[in-house]
Amino acid sequence: MLNGFKDFILRGNVVSMAIGLAVGSAFTAVVTGFSKAFITPLIGLATGSVGDFSEASFTVGKTVFPYGLAIAAAIAFVITAAVLYFLIVVPMAKIQERFAKAEAADPKSAKRDCPRCFTEIPAVASRCAHCTSEVEPIAGSLEKLGVPLPR
């Protein structure tokens, strides 16, 4: 039982996910710090609030609504998402596109109808599996398989 758990923990996907979460939380801390130190005060200056915009709030009755914290969190999220997208997702997509191999089309997947019984048969077939009548295989499909054409 413990061997199965050990195998699960040491599997590459679990370790990669744990590393990704640790790096993601550290990156989020950096972006949140940048947002609080630079972006939020700039927005505060632009909107007329003095200093830190994240401390902006309004009161209804005895309840305080710190809407500045929500806006600061939203800004941190947008910055984090933009940086991750433009610095990780887009380059990785380009790398995957560059190294992706074109999938070879399966010549057996091409279908046609039998001229005698009108059932669907592979394009490379020389005999119908349903009515057993001989049919002429399509030349291009045989070449894709590497089968020489009959002479």
Side-chain angles (χ1 to χ4, degrees):
M1 184 169 162
L2 290 177
N3 285 337
F5 180 71
K6 181 184 76 167
D7 292 341
F8 171 73
I9 292 298
L10 295 178
R11 215 179 271 168
N13 295 342
V14 175
V15 173
S16 297
M17 184 180 68
I19 291 170
L21 286 172
V23 169
S25 65
F27 181 73
T28 301
V30 168
V31 170
T32 302
F34 175 76
S35 176
K36 285 182 181 178
F38 294 104
I39 304 297
T40 304
L42 288 174
I43 292 174
L45 289 173
T47 59
S49 300
V50 178
D52 192 5
F53 180 73
S54 65
E55 294 180 12
S57 63
F58 66 89
T59 305
V60 177
K62 293 183 179 181
T63 305
V64 178
F65 293 91
Y67 68 90
L69 288 175
I71 293 174
I75 291 169
F77 171 76
V78 169
I79 292 171
T80 304
V83 168
L84 288 174
Y85 179 76
F86 289 112
L87 295 182
I88 294 176
V89 173
V90 171
M92 285 301 291
K94 287 184 181 181
I95 289 171
Q96 287 176 343
E97 183 179 301
R98 180 179 293 170
F99 291 113
K101 295 179 182 175
E103 292 184 22
D106 183 15
K108 294 179 184 177
S109 65
K111 303 288 184 187
R112 66 180 174 149
D113 289 337
C114 173
R116 306 276 193 287
C117 65
F118 303 108
T119 58
E120 192 175 73
I121 60 172
V124 295
S126 59
R127 186 174 293 272
C128 177
H130 302 281
C131 68
T132 68
S133 62
E134 289 189 23
V135 292
E136 194 65 33
I138 297 176
S141 61
L142 286 176
E143 291 171 2
K144 288 180 185 177
L145 277 177
V147 176
L149 294 173
R151 295 183 189 233

